[in-house]
Amino acid sequence: MSMTSLVHSQLGSQSFSEEHFRLWEIVWKVEKGCWGKLRIGHGGSLCFYSMDITSQAVASEVSSPTPGIKAPALLNKKDKLLANYVPVYVMVPLGVITEDNVLENKDEIVKQLMELKAADVDGIMVDVWWGIIESNGPKQYDWNRYKSLFQVVQDSGLKLQTIMSFHQCGGNVGDIVNVPLPKWVLDIGDSDPDIFYTNRSGTRNTEYLTIGVDNQPLFGGRTAAECYDKYLKAEFKEAATLAGHPEWELPDDAGEYNDVPSSTDFFKSNGTYVSEKGKFFLTWYSNKLLTHGDQILDEANQIFLGCKIKLAAKVSGIHWWYKEDNHAAELTAGYYNLKDRDGYRTIARMMSRHSTSLNFTCLEMRNSKQSEEAKSGPEELVQQVLSAGWREDIEVAGENALPRYDRNDYNQILKNARPNGVNRDDPPKLRMAALTYLRLSSNLLESKNFRIFKTFVRKMHVDQNYCPDPNNYFHPVGSLERSKPTIPIEDLLEATKPMEPFPFDPETDMSVSWAFVVEWLDSVRNKIVSIFR
């Protein structure tokens, strides 16, 4: 388990000062009058959303407006439609800044960004890799190439989401971009390999640091932000002893990577996962995720106190085995989610004390496109997680998991973005705060694909033109206030009680497919008119 973080601020004077923040000591100098979001997510990243908005009152979800900020009055038809507007961001290629810290193909990037701007896209997202920025040694940062890229984005008129990614990029079969962790971190791992995630057989995953070293000053005096490393082993043993079971050890009956879960003693019917020992382990394991996220959000809150930003946190879309009683994939990732136990509303409740948005993925996925053998349920999972966020009265945002260009997938995203459709009279009760599309590529910009994508953006914008002021679509953000008091673990765990998710419409009422028919008819009509002329 791990968590990621992001921050939005205004593009302007891009100067950085050092401030202790978990693994990376960094602060974006937030200019007076700017606004933005800080997002914490699964995967190991500290990220900034930078936006080119001047002094504006900005708002959170209509159902839970920021204290002291009034949402705009809905005076006319356009205002009412804008209350349904969902901004769209596009991820740029992973290797836009190379491993050697070079901004390659700048002219091509400029051209592509201008095409996105012409399509009314709200902004772009870029990964900022730890292995690039701090590659030369602890606290030795080089932001020059990223600053150049940010300037290009600002000049294009787009908003910017900057994701500070603490994990390795690529390195697997078929990956064309490879950015490892900083060498000085890997050197620490050579002498203390338990800083990495470790499985029962002792295999280390050097793509990211284990949360077992969250509070271990191993990295130049700093702490870091599969649980068989020595740090998590010791923590589990202490917890089991305090619970009166010093004899309990970490599970050793969950099988191997390629085993079908139901064939293992841990995940089989009436297996270890439903025993007293199994429940204790899974509760401890998932609580580590809660504590990890809560600590990062709390420290981020203190650093950016008073800035016009909004905290947010990302939750992974682990949809494999969702329709199996054991929910094995979710449980091994730290999401203790079963038919009789909600594993996501606890996370949303933890986020609520920081007024945090919940960001989720796999919005485009449909059950019919998944392997029956995997008993995957992405549609039900999305519905459950989004509902968890809304029930805990926090904003919800999301993204697609895989590159997609067809109308059916776009329609699936549109349905999830506004589960009950467009409300033409009042702000909708259920609406996502933003959508980040994966990703900018030559395939996306191909004529047919891009034509469909532009229609998709138009539908996310409720058939309205690009709106530069978030205040007008009910997303003002006030100055960040101090997080509320820590929620006792007992109160967090009350949210494990299952609740029916909010009902979702079977289809979107802003279909990209029907829009294509209208566009085609318009094209035919124009051709006929031109012939007679």
Side-chain angles (χ1 to χ4, degrees):
M1 295 181 295
S2 56
M3 298 289 281
T4 336
S5 5
L6 317 104
V7 174
H8 302 249
S9 85
Q10 180 183 13
L11 274 173
S13 173
Q14 292 123 357
S15 59
F16 291 84
S17 60
E18 290 190 1
E19 181 76 29
H20 184 67
F21 185 63
R22 310 297 290 172
L23 252 175
W24 206 340
E25 299 175 359
I26 177 174
V27 162
W28 185 285
K29 183 179 179 183
V30 183
E31 301 297 322
K32 183 177 180 181
C34 72
W35 71 278
K37 287 191 179 180
L38 167 66
R39 185 172 75 185
I40 309 270
H42 203 318
S45 313
L46 166 65
C47 325
F48 288 83
Y49 284 168
S50 305
M51 300 198 171
D52 57 352
I53 304 295
T54 55
S55 261
Q56 303 274 4
V58 211
S60 60
E61 183 65 23
V62 174
S63 60
S64 53
T66 303
I69 295 181
K70 293 183 178 180
L74 301 181
L75 303 177
N76 53 49
K77 180 180 179 181
K78 180 179 179 181
D79 289 341
K80 293 177 179 179
L81 283 175
L82 279 177
N84 299 269
Y85 184 105
V86 178
V88 177
Y89 295 81
V90 176
M91 304 180 194
V92 299
L94 289 170
V96 64
I97 303 293
T98 68
E99 180 183 358
D100 298 324
N101 206 355
V102 174
L103 173 57
E104 287 191 333
N105 303 320
K106 179 178 177 180
D107 292 342
E108 181 66 17
I109 289 294
V110 170
K111 178 183 176 183
Q112 291 178 338
L113 294 186
M114 295 309 297
E115 290 188 70
L116 293 180
K117 179 63 178 176
D120 274 354
V121 168
D122 295 81
I124 64 101
M125 181 276 275
V126 59
D127 289 277
V128 178
W129 297 102
W130 184 23
I132 295 176
I133 292 298
E134 202 179 0
S135 62
N136 294 328
K139 304 181 185 179
Q140 297 181 38
Y141 305 109
D142 184 357
W143 291 95
N144 290 327
R145 300 302 178 271
Y146 280 101
K147 286 183 179 181
S148 298
L149 176 61
F150 298 163
Q151 187 63 54
V152 168
V153 175
Q154 184 181 31
D155 292 344
S156 72
L158 290 164
K159 300 170 184 176
L160 174 66
Q161 301 178 353
T162 312
I163 303 183
M164 309 298 178
S165 299
F166 287 108
H167 55 88
Q168 173 180 301
C169 174
N172 294 312
V173 177
D175 289 339
I176 59 175
V177 178
N178 181 37
V179 181
L181 299 185
K183 184 178 183 303
W184 60 270
V185 174
L186 296 175
D187 289 342
I188 294 174
D190 287 340
S191 59
D192 185 2
D194 284 289
I195 69 172
F196 302 119
Y197 283 110
T198 307
N199 66 14
R200 184 163 52 89
S201 65
T203 302
R204 315 287 185 178
N205 183 345
T206 60
E207 294 186 8
Y208 187 62
L209 300 173
T210 170
I211 58 174
V213 295
D214 266 5
N215 300 304
Q216 302 292 331
L218 302 172
F219 307 95
R222 294 178 291 172
T223 59
E226 317 203 310
C227 64
Y228 292 86
D229 59 82
K230 66 183 181 184
Y231 300 104
L232 285 177
K233 276 185 176 180
E235 288 188 34
F236 177 78
K237 195 65 175 178
E238 180 182 2
T241 300
L242 289 174
H245 289 281
E247 75 281 6
W248 281 350
E249 302 288 348
L250 291 170
D252 60 0
D253 57 353
E256 303 296 335
Y257 289 113
N258 293 324
D259 287 340
V260 174
S262 59
S263 69
T264 69
D265 288 338
F266 191 89
F267 289 115
K268 69 182 182 181
S269 179
N270 295 318
T272 305
Y273 82 98
V274 295
S275 69
E276 181 186 5
K277 176 184 176 181
K279 291 179 179 178
F280 177 84
F281 164 74
L282 291 169
T283 300
W284 169 82
Y285 191 39
S286 60
N287 285 355
K288 291 293 296 181
L289 179 65
L290 288 172
T291 302
H292 181 65
D294 190 49
Q295 287 179 347
I296 294 178
L297 285 167
D298 192 69
E299 292 189 28
N301 176 273
Q302 294 180 64
I303 291 172
F304 296 99
L305 197 63
C307 299
K308 289 188 177 179
I309 65 173
K310 174 77 176 178
L311 301 181
K314 185 173 180 179
V315 176
S316 295
I318 312 297
H319 54 86
W320 311 279
W321 306 111
Y322 184 88
K323 293 186 175 182
E324 184 81 334
D325 288 343
N326 56 43
H327 286 242
E330 292 166 276
L331 266 55
T332 55
Y335 300 120
Y336 191 4
N337 186 57
L338 298 169
K339 291 181 179 179
D340 60 352
R341 190 187 194 279
D342 193 324
Y344 299 100
R345 200 154 58 89
T346 52
I347 298 174
R349 181 165 296 184
M350 176 274 290
M351 294 177 188
S352 69
R353 90 169 180 100
H354 308 285
S355 299
T356 300
S357 298
L358 188 156
N359 188 286
F360 198 59
T361 186
C362 65
L363 297 182
E364 85 286 8
M365 290 188 171
R366 290 167 286 153
N367 294 353
S368 60
K369 296 297 182 178
Q370 310 305 314
S371 168
E372 291 185 6
E373 293 180 357
K375 298 189 177 180
S376 178
E379 293 183 45
E380 292 85 356
L381 177 61
V382 167
Q383 187 176 7
Q384 179 187 353
V385 176
L386 301 193
S387 295
W390 286 319
R391 286 205 184 279
E392 294 300 319
D393 209 18
I394 61 175
E395 286 184 344
V396 170
E399 59 194 47
N400 54 306
L402 299 170
R404 288 292 182 266
Y405 312 107
D406 68 87
R407 297 181 182 85
N408 289 332
D409 290 328
Y410 285 138
N411 285 339
Q412 186 70 17
I413 296 174
L414 283 160
K415 183 189 79 168
N416 290 323
R418 290 183 293 261
N420 301 142
V422 174
N423 190 328
R424 301 180 183 276
D425 298 312
D426 296 294
K429 292 182 179 180
L430 305 180
R431 176 196 58 162
M432 292 179 58
L435 182 280
T436 304
Y437 174 83
L438 184 155
R439 114 180 20 250
L440 177 61
S441 67
S442 57
N443 285 337
L444 174 64
L445 297 177
E446 186 272 325
S447 177
K448 178 183 176 181
N449 289 343
F450 200 50
R451 184 174 68 251
I452 299 173
F453 175 75
K454 287 190 286 187
T455 302
F456 166 69
V457 172
R458 182 79 176 176
K459 294 304 177 181
M460 291 292 287
H461 291 172
V462 211
D463 283 332
Q464 302 299 299
N465 294 329
Y466 164 70
C467 180
D469 184 358
N471 184 56
N472 290 339
Y473 51 86
F474 276 66
H475 282 293
V477 174
S479 297
L480 185 64
E481 298 181 355
R482 187 70 184 98
S483 295
K484 302 178 184 70
T486 301
I487 301 174
I489 190 64
E490 295 80 10
D491 292 345
L492 288 177
L493 295 181
E494 285 181 359
T496 61
K497 180 181 179 181
M499 298 182 69
E500 286 295 318
F502 289 113
F504 280 29
D505 293 346
E507 297 179 354
T508 178
D509 60 349
M510 297 293 286
S511 173
V512 172
S513 303
W514 284 111
F516 169 74
V517 173
V518 173
E519 290 175 2
W520 181 80
L521 290 174
D522 285 343
S523 175
V524 172
R525 182 191 61 188
N526 292 337
K527 288 182 178 180
I528 293 174
V529 171
S530 66
I531 291 173
F532 280 99
R533 283 179 178 174

